[in-house]
Amino acid sequence: MNLLIKIFCLAAILNLSETFQIYADVEKYNVKWEIDGDLITFSIEAETTGFVGLGFSRGGGMSGADIVVGGVRNGVPYLEDRHAISRSTPILDEEQNVELIEAFENDTHTFIKFSRKLETCDEEGDVAITEDTISLIWSFGATDDLVYHGANRGSRSVNLLDPQGPENPDLSKYKVWELRTVKAMPAADTTYWCTIHKSPNVPRKQHIVGFSAILESPSAYVHTHHMEAYLCHVPPGMESVFETYLNHTGEDCYYPDDPDFPGHFCESIAYGWAIGGEVVLFPDHVGFPLVSGEYFKLEVHYNNPNHLNDVAFDTGLKLYYTEDLRVLDAGRIAIGSEINFTQMIPPNSEKFVTVAHCDVSCTAELPENGVALFNFLIHAHLSGKKLKVRQFRNGEELPWLINDEHYDFNFQATRPFRKEMRLMPGDHLALAGGRTGPPLNHPSDTDPIVELPLEMQGRTFSQVVESVNWTPEVREFYQKVTRFDRHDAYCRPSGVQVKVGYPPHGEDYVPGDVCERRRR
């Protein structure tokens, strides 16, 4: 399981409203929602005069989903709180935890507005709305009879509580620097392809204020899974080598044919986009410095499960910048595990946790008053299902910095923090990634990059792993070692290498139980 989290930092306090609106559009179904305290209100417009359904699903399908069905039947508005236990007619909840505000229809469309609590405490029928990734599932029927909806359905992963920027931002006022890759995608399941780029020639420092993906064709949308731009640290006398590769088609990031390709000098993550991400604009007083003559490596993850040949398309990143400097410079911190053979999940595992640390050796040089955090991006491969960043300070675990209990590999947006989170000198961060679910039959079944070409006395690494007698005792020991033993940590760019594990602290942080408080 490859884990990574990238956090954007600035030296200022952010004020984020607790009330905001965001929109999700599909062809014949539009939904918008608004948060106010512990209440969420949905407004739906659907091209039908029959029933309209909206569901909240942790896994993306109907099974286990919390579903609301409403409409106008014989001139009378109605709304029902239901849940699904399979791909069949949703069951009416014993507790009705939705409130109909209004519902009406015209000759072609139905309009519904309703509200519910974020946490209804109905464990049987409802799904809590939290900061986790969740799938909105939707459907509508030709009549108000609750029968199979046919093709009138869909789903979309969202983060319902995340504050959002403007719906249609004006990007014309910014200059654009493109890190573009033009290539025929390799005919392999997964390819990480790297190219070298150079920052534009600017007369003085500029500020990068946002970025977006270059996805100009259907193939680019389908086959570009994620991209990252890395800042290169060029050794003295190596500029000519980097210049050679500026107009180069690139190399496989991990197995380059050209031994002189300088990608290994580029390890500081600068910008990242993943499937599900949209245009990202930073707060109005924050910008990332841009100067002339810096080299960057663009790493593109091509996803080609059908091994298609000769599919060529443009992809990459657009960086938006301005000469009107913002008040504050921003920076980045990345926490994660390097990809190697120790990133292994034993065969037939239902649960497993991987941990990475960022300790005081990395945070000691922060400003005395610390830094405020405004955006984050979490990333793991297919076997990652839960991701959490724990924060420790002065022997105490603080509330979790980031927590997503339902991470979706196919939805990895750059997300804003809902409220100010601060990182102080001496803080310790621990990234914990876990998988749950059906047993893995093979240590690399769901993570192609773990399939390393290692040979051990004539056997591959996977064969060696499968040959181990994974008794419950061996599994428990291996999990304990990988989770709680000391790790080799490397702090870039300082180059500090340390042995690190969880710091001494009191009780582990446990979030408050809203439902328990209500029952008192």
Side-chain angles (χ1 to χ4, degrees):
M1 182 193 306
N2 179 34
L3 303 177
L4 174 70
I5 184 161
K6 179 176 63 176
I7 304 173
F8 299 97
C9 315
L10 67 153
I13 295 176
L14 300 180
N15 294 311
L16 296 178
S17 171
E18 289 294 327
T19 303
F20 47 86
Q21 289 189 351
I22 48 182
Y23 300 84
D25 292 299
V26 290
E27 290 182 356
K28 296 184 178 182
Y29 190 107
N30 175 277
V31 57
K32 65 179 181 180
W33 54 95
E34 183 177 353
I35 310 292
D36 189 0
D38 66 348
L39 203 67
I40 184 167
T41 300
F42 292 91
S43 299
I44 304 170
E45 175 185 345
E47 189 177 312
T48 183
T49 56
F51 75 82
V52 176
L54 178 66
F56 312 98
S57 171
R58 296 188 180 99
M62 281 191 65
S63 183
D66 175 9
I67 297 175
V68 179
V69 178
V72 180
R73 182 186 292 116
N74 299 324
V76 180
Y78 68 94
L79 189 72
E80 299 168 344
D81 191 1
R82 294 174 172 265
H83 67 278
I85 58 174
S86 64
R87 295 180 63 182
S88 57
T89 303
I91 300 169
L92 192 67
D93 290 2
E94 291 186 10
E95 293 183 22
Q96 292 292 297
N97 292 308
V98 292
E99 180 179 349
L100 178 62
I101 298 173
E102 63 176 346
F104 58 93
E105 63 184 24
N106 57 26
D107 292 340
T108 59
H109 287 73
T110 296
F111 305 84
I112 300 174
K113 186 174 184 178
F114 72 91
S115 64
R116 56 158 283 182
K117 287 186 177 296
L118 299 176
E119 172 59 90
T120 68
C121 301
D122 179 3
E123 296 181 359
E124 288 292 323
D126 293 345
V127 170
I129 295 175
T130 67
E131 294 185 9
D132 298 342
T133 299
I134 195 170
S135 290
L136 287 185
I137 60 175
W138 58 271
S139 66
F140 58 85
T143 71
D144 287 294
D145 296 328
L146 195 54
V147 296
Y148 182 55
H149 42 64
N152 297 320
R153 61 183 174 87
S155 67
R156 177 175 175 176
S157 290
V158 295
N159 301 111
L160 285 172
L161 302 190
D162 282 4
Q164 299 293 306
E167 185 181 2
N168 295 302
D170 179 14
L171 302 176
S172 63
K173 56 186 175 182
Y174 304 123
K175 299 176 183 178
V176 179
W177 173 34
E178 292 189 352
L179 286 73
R180 183 181 290 263
T181 294
V182 184
K183 178 174 175 55
M185 176 178 58
D189 283 336
T190 297
T191 302
Y192 287 80
W193 196 258
C194 285
T195 50
I196 300 297
H197 305 264
K198 189 177 182 179
S199 60
N201 186 21
V202 293
R204 58 181 178 85
K205 184 179 86 171
Q206 315 274 297
H207 264 156
I208 293 174
V209 298
F211 62 90
S212 64
I214 298 173
L215 302 171
E216 298 173 343
S217 69
S219 293
Y221 272 98
V222 171
H223 297 293
T224 305
H225 189 272
H226 65 267
M227 299 173 281
E228 290 176 331
Y230 294 79
L231 177 63
C232 303
H233 299 280
V234 182
M238 286 283 292
E239 289 85 355
S240 60
V241 176
F242 279 83
E243 288 289 326
T244 300
Y245 289 94
L246 288 182
N247 297 311
H248 194 274
T249 56
E251 290 283 341
D252 188 292
C253 298
Y254 296 96
Y255 311 109
D257 292 327
D258 185 348
D260 295 326
F261 186 74
H264 57 286
F265 292 110
C266 313
E267 297 182 328
S268 297
I269 297 176
Y271 307 97
W273 174 92
I275 186 171
E278 299 181 358
V279 176
V280 174
L281 292 178
F282 307 133
D284 290 342
H285 59 303
V286 178
F288 287 84
L290 173 68
V291 297
S292 299
E294 289 189 319
Y295 296 92
F296 289 79
K297 176 182 73 175
L298 177 66
E299 178 181 293
V300 177
H301 173 183
Y302 291 106
N303 184 36
N304 186 10
N306 295 321
H307 296 194
L308 301 178
N309 281 302
D310 299 324
V311 179
F313 53 87
D314 290 20
T315 190
L317 292 174
K318 285 185 179 181
L319 304 183
Y320 304 100
Y321 67 97
T322 177
E323 61 184 13
D324 298 325
L325 296 183
R326 303 288 179 86
V327 176
L328 294 173
D329 286 349
R332 313 160 190 86
I333 181 171
I335 312 162
S337 299
E338 289 192 343
I339 301 167
N340 57 46
F341 65 88
T342 64
Q343 291 289 297
M344 181 270 295
I345 299 174
N348 300 307
S349 294
E350 293 186 17
K351 296 182 179 180
F352 195 82
V353 177
T354 300
V355 177
H357 292 279
C358 174
D359 80 331
V360 63
S361 64
C362 283
T363 64
E365 300 303 318
L366 291 174
E368 181 180 355
N369 294 324
V371 291
L373 310 175
F374 63 92
N375 275 353
F376 66 93
L377 171 68
I378 55 179
H379 172 68
H381 288 180
L382 281 166
S383 51
K385 301 300 180 185
K386 300 182 178 184
L387 289 169
K388 176 191 303 179
V389 177
R390 303 172 66 183
Q391 185 176 17
F392 302 87
R393 181 181 300 159
N394 299 326
E396 177 187 1
E397 182 176 8
L398 305 181
W400 297 325
L401 195 62
I402 298 165
N403 185 49
D404 194 335
E405 295 287 322
H406 305 289
Y407 168 77
D408 183 351
F409 177 70
N410 290 312
F411 180 75
Q412 302 178 42
T414 295
R415 300 175 56 186
F417 287 98
R418 293 187 66 213
K419 59 183 179 180
E420 180 200 341
M421 307 299 284
R422 187 162 286 273
L423 185 62
M424 299 295 292
D427 281 2
H428 182 117
L429 302 180
L431 169 61
R435 71 151 272 108
T436 58
L440 293 176
N441 295 321
H442 187 278
S444 61
D445 270 354
T446 61
D447 247 330
I449 201 165
V450 178
E451 188 70 49
L452 298 178
L454 297 177
E455 292 286 339
M456 300 181 181
Q457 296 181 345
R459 295 187 297 173
T460 66
F461 173 68
S462 295
Q463 289 171 333
V464 172
V465 171
E466 291 175 326
S467 70
V468 174
N469 182 16
W470 290 100
T471 64
E473 293 77 17
V474 172
R475 289 178 184 276
E476 181 180 359
F477 173 77
Y478 179 70
Q479 173 67 106
K480 182 179 179 180
V481 168
T482 56
R483 190 172 182 181
F484 297 112
D485 269 15
R486 309 287 282 179
H487 292 212
D488 290 323
Y490 179 66
C491 185
R492 300 187 181 100
S494 67
V496 174
Q497 289 182 284
V498 293
K499 292 283 188 180
V500 62
Y502 281 108
H505 62 282
E507 294 184 0
D508 290 348
Y509 169 75
V510 178
D513 188 333
V514 173
C515 298
E516 179 63 29
R517 291 199 298 268
R518 290 179 186 170
R519 286 191 288 266
R520 291 174 184 170

